[in-house]
Amino acid sequence: MSQSADTRLPLRQVWPDAFVARYRAAGYWRGETFPGFLRDRARRFAGDVAVVGGEARWTYAQLWDRAERIAAGLLAHGLAPGDRVVVQLGNIPEFVAVVCGLFRAQLIPVYALPAHRLTEVAHFARRAEASAYVGAEKYEGFDYRTLARELQREVPAVRHVFVVGEAQEFVAVDALDGDRAALPDDPDPQSVAFLQISGGSTGLSKLIPRTHDDYIYSFRASNEICGIGRDSVYLVALPAAHNFPMSSPGFFGALYAGARVVLSPGPGPDAAFALIARERVTCVGLVPPLALLWADAAAKTAHDLSSLRVVQVGGAKLVPEAARRVIAGLGCTLQQVFGMAEGLVNYTRLDDPEDIVIHTQGRPISPDDEVLVVDDRGEPVPDGTTGHLLARGPYTIRAYHNDPAANARAFTDDGYYRTGDMVQRTAGGYLIVQGRATDHINRAGEKISAEEIEDHLLAHPQVFDAAVVSIPDEFLGERSCAFVIPGGARPRPAELKAWVRGRGLAAFKVPDQIVFVEAFGTTAVGKVSRRELRAQLRERFLAQEAS
Ligand code: OOB
């Protein structure tokens, strides 16, 4: 048994009884579990190819066999069901095998992105009370064994490290094996299956507990909306740990359908186009800047992309003109996806008229997704008016893990999640994203909290004050700009950027631009909120740029 098991915070995601009854009666929650459906597909589609990546080409039977081997090996090393395991792997087949193995052993994956560094990974490990970490030997030139060593120094509760590739002093994932008779029965479908990382709000990333029932519903229903069946081939081009390529419909949707999952080592056309041609890929999810890059590259490529049926774009706003370019460039069906790791996902439907596909971010998956658009006082606004988006439903969480302060802010008394997004609803129930109420930067789909980066800048001895804002960017959609009041000698911008990176953060969080100012302006004295201050700085900067 894991020693800490008794003292850790329980993993919970609870809907009120009446909602549980309703979601079951409607057939959304069917009592399926990850190990349950994976075992079933391994039996039914044993010889079909499930996962392709690098040199690997695993059938459903082989994937399940690997998962069981990994599961038994992890338990043999002393992990116990309920233990949380930070998983930081790139788009390699082992990502899928490890996560399926964790599910099989009732261990709880905590998904870190490959871009995350020590500060972030340590935060996830602490918050989740993790006892293990799984990383790769190397991915995109970075050695995760070094990170693992630092992590263990900083968070000693992380007692186990498992490595894909050359493990050095750690345990190799490839060497994992154990007594399969020791594997547990399948879990309670309403129990938490994993912890996802929040993208869409302020401060440090929060942990999102998703249950078997709710998550499986979300990708099973997505399969139907996105046309995923057994003959589909789904390409994971974005980081596999992100909710979009994981479940909208993502690789889990594809595995649920008995389809083929192909992992692209990078999101760019160079890596992806060859795979599309070779594997006859039918569906892929992209963020807007990538979709534009792909649309341009498609005109020039020698690769045959004719198998592509659906290109999904989400994670950040796809403006109408960009949507037109994507449709023209890729010559297949565009599907807009507006989702969040906390739950709610909206899709334009494959048979929607082009006008809707170009101008909206879709409508919710479920008839039981309750979507409210409200003003600052919480009163519903009419269709066509911009307001705050609140959501509640069969796959939207009711609480974050281990974060009462965030829960008090992020959820209403009657259980709606405050998404932080500003939207308009059309008469047909489609949503158009207009912006957001929270101060984060959506940098090509990667979310950066202004507050988090300001904290790191303020720790620099030559920074008196700092405000981080989003600036519209032609390519990224938004880029980050830090306004800095120097304290003493003005540091060089490159120095400040290196400082932020040196604080153990993902590279995408390093400010794209640094602007030194003497003061934050005459109106920005005293009681002005950080939020107003950021807005003022942004406006002044944009006005100056325009003049
Ligand atoms: C996806 O998930 P997260 O958790 O990284 O970020 C959620 C936030 C949303 O609240 C919204 O602010 C923004 O990302 N967002 C969009 C968008 N899709 C996401 N903003 C405008 N237009 C869109 N189409 O990003 C995510 C999760 C599942 C599926 C797709 C995206």
Side-chain angles (χ1 to χ4, degrees), residues 129-483:
E129 300 171 282
S131 42
Y133 168 87
V134 186
E137 160 194 340
K138 264 208 175 108
Y139 188 73
E140 290 183 341
F142 183 75
D143 190 330
Y144 291 84
R145 295 165 301 196
T146 311
L147 192 153
R149 269 174 221 123
E150 292 166 351
L151 176 66
Q152 285 195 301
R153 263 200 301 276
E154 207 155 295
V155 191
V158 179
R159 293 188 308 279
H160 308 272
V161 171
F162 304 93
V163 173
V164 174
E166 169 53 52
Q168 295 176 338
E169 74 268 36
F170 304 121
V171 177
V173 167
D174 255 355
L176 287 173
D177 208 347
D179 176 13
R180 298 193 189 194
L183 289 171
D185 293 338
D186 288 351
D188 174 354
Q190 271 183 260
S191 65
V192 170
F194 60 83
L195 293 169
Q196 181 60 274
I197 304 302
S198 76
S201 43
T202 48
L204 296 174
S205 283
K206 292 174 277 296
L207 302 181
I208 299 172
R210 301 288 302 258
T211 65
H212 295 266
D213 255 341
D214 94 76
Y215 207 64
I216 291 175
Y217 167 52
S218 80
F219 57 74
R220 188 181 66 232
S222 293
N223 277 350
E224 222 165 282
I225 294 169
C226 307
I228 298 293
R230 203 175 155 189
D231 58 355
S232 299
V233 182
Y234 179 83
L235 183 73
V236 183
L238 298 171
H242 190 270
N243 198 57
F244 180 15
M246 186 176 283
S247 67
S248 302
F251 66 84
F252 278 134
L255 293 177
Y256 188 91
R260 179 178 304 179
V261 174
V262 179
L263 297 150
S264 179
D270 302 351
F273 282 9
L275 283 171
I276 293 175
R278 193 185 83 198
E279 302 294 331
R280 306 295 296 157
V281 168
T282 63
C283 180
V284 64
L286 300 172
V287 290
L290 271 177
L292 290 172
L293 208 63
W294 281 43
D296 284 348
K300 301 164 210 145
T301 187
H303 294 294
D304 174 10
L305 307 180
S306 62
S307 58
L308 262 184
R309 291 204 284 265
V310 178
V311 171
Q312 309 177 288
V313 183
K317 171 100 177 210
L318 184 70
V319 295
E321 194 40 47
R324 287 192 195 94
R325 271 171 57 196
V326 172
I327 293 171
L330 290 168
C332 58
T333 303
L334 167 68
Q335 179 173 52
Q336 293 220 34
V337 188
F338 165 38
M340 51 211 73
E342 285 81 356
L344 181 70
V345 179
N346 304 274
Y347 295 104
T348 57
R349 302 314 200 246
L350 301 184
D351 57 357
D352 273 340
E354 194 164 276
D355 187 47
I356 284 188
V357 174
I358 287 177
H359 289 103
T360 83
Q361 278 64 59
R363 62 180 162 89
I365 290 179
S366 177
D368 274 288
D369 277 321
E370 298 172 82
V371 159
L372 295 178
V373 185
V374 301
D375 63 19
D376 287 345
R377 288 165 307 144
E379 298 298 323
V381 300
D383 286 346
T385 307
T386 301
H388 302 268
L389 173 66
L390 310 183
R392 184 168 85 170
Y395 60 97
T396 297
I397 59 162
R398 297 291 186 128
Y400 291 110
H401 176 65
N402 190 6
D403 202 337
N407 286 334
R409 279 195 308 271
F411 298 90
T412 66
D413 291 343
D414 47 2
Y416 282 88
Y417 167 56
R418 297 184 210 273
T419 67
D421 294 312
M422 305 295 296
V423 304
Q424 277 176 19
R425 187 171 36 199
T426 69
Y430 284 75
L431 301 177
I432 302 173
V433 180
Q434 300 288 357
R436 65 180 165 270
T438 55
D439 275 342
H440 69 262
I441 295 101
N442 189 336
R443 187 182 190 276
E446 313 223 65
K447 319 301 187 302
I448 306 160
S449 150
E451 200 178 291
E452 182 185 349
I453 307 311
E454 287 165 3
D455 274 351
H456 288 291
L457 286 167
L458 281 168
H460 191 281
Q462 284 152 270
V463 171
F464 174 72
D465 204 353
V468 176
V469 309
S470 68
I471 302 287
D473 183 275
E474 205 184 330
F475 180 68
L476 297 167
E478 294 177 12
R479 65 176 188 271
S480 62
C481 177
F483 293 91

